[in-house]
Structure formats: C-alpha cells, structure tokens
Amino acid sequence: GQAALRQAILQEWVPAVDPLTTARRARIVATSDLLIGMSYHRGQGWLTELADALAVRRDVDSIDERCVLIVRFAMAAMASGVEGWISRGCEGDLAEAIDASFDLTLQVFDELATTSVAP
C-alpha cells in the first residue's frame, strides 16, 4: 500500500527529476489557471496509473476505493513535501523532505484515528 508507493516515489520518481527544474515548473504552474488545470489532469492520469498498479499488487480485479485513497494519500504527502521544500527556498534534500512529509501525514492519521469527537 502506502509503503510501496512511498518507496516508489523516493527510489524511482525523485532520482528521475531535477529538483530545481521541478521547483521552477511548480512556480510557473502556480501563476496560470490553464497550467493548473493541465497539471490537475496530469495528476489524475498518475492517480489512475498508480491505482491500477496498486490493484495488481493487492491482487484485486479492478481499482477499488481503497486503492484510490491510498494513492491520493501518497500523492498528497509527496506534493506537501515538494511544496514545503520549495517554500524553504529549495534547501536541503528533496527526498528527505518528501520522506518527512510521509512521516508527518502518518502521524496526523494516527491522531485522527485516536481523537474522539464529542457529539
């Protein structure tokens, strides 16, 4: 599940991108509604591809809600790590920023699971 996606992002995606080019592109995309829309559609394509791969890994016949939610979680953790790294002036290691974002996201999920909400 999320651990496999986390490792795929850290071992496959991060080494394949130039961090400064990624930061530059993110800043440019943020200035244009058209580019934001195109980025969203590209992300939807990634979501489908990753969810399909996860369904195969989980040995289920088709993409189910669990696959989609796991991929959305992984993509959100990755995006948060990249955005935080960019906001800090692209200082430090991008992979470490993404890894820390996954850790923080898991901590937040744990807090949500153990926090009771009064009616």
Side-chain angles (χ1 to χ4, degrees), residues 1-2 5 47 50-52 54-55 58 60 62-74:
Q2 72 80 21
L5 287 172
L47 187 143
L50 291 170
D52 188 50
L54 188 58
R58 292 181 55 234
V60 294
S62 62
I63 297 171
D64 60 11
E65 187 174 358
R66 185 179 199 90
C67 290
V68 172
L69 287 173
I70 290 169
V71 172
R72 285 187 191 278
F73 151 72

Side-chain angles (χ1 to χ4, degrees), residues 39-91:
S39 179
Y40 172 79
H41 287 292
R42 184 179 63 193
Q44 289 299 108
W46 289 350
L47 187 143
T48 301
E49 288 178 31
L50 291 170
D52 188 50
L54 188 58
V56 169
R57 182 181 177 87
R58 292 181 55 234
D59 198 26
V60 294
D61 291 334
S62 62
I63 297 171
D64 60 11
E65 187 174 358
R66 185 179 199 90
C67 290
V68 172
L69 287 173
I70 290 169
V71 172
R72 285 187 191 278
F73 151 72
M75 290 177 69
M78 182 181 86
S80 182
V82 171
E83 289 169 8
W85 177 78
I86 290 170
S87 73
R88 293 186 297 277
C90 304
E91 292 185 14

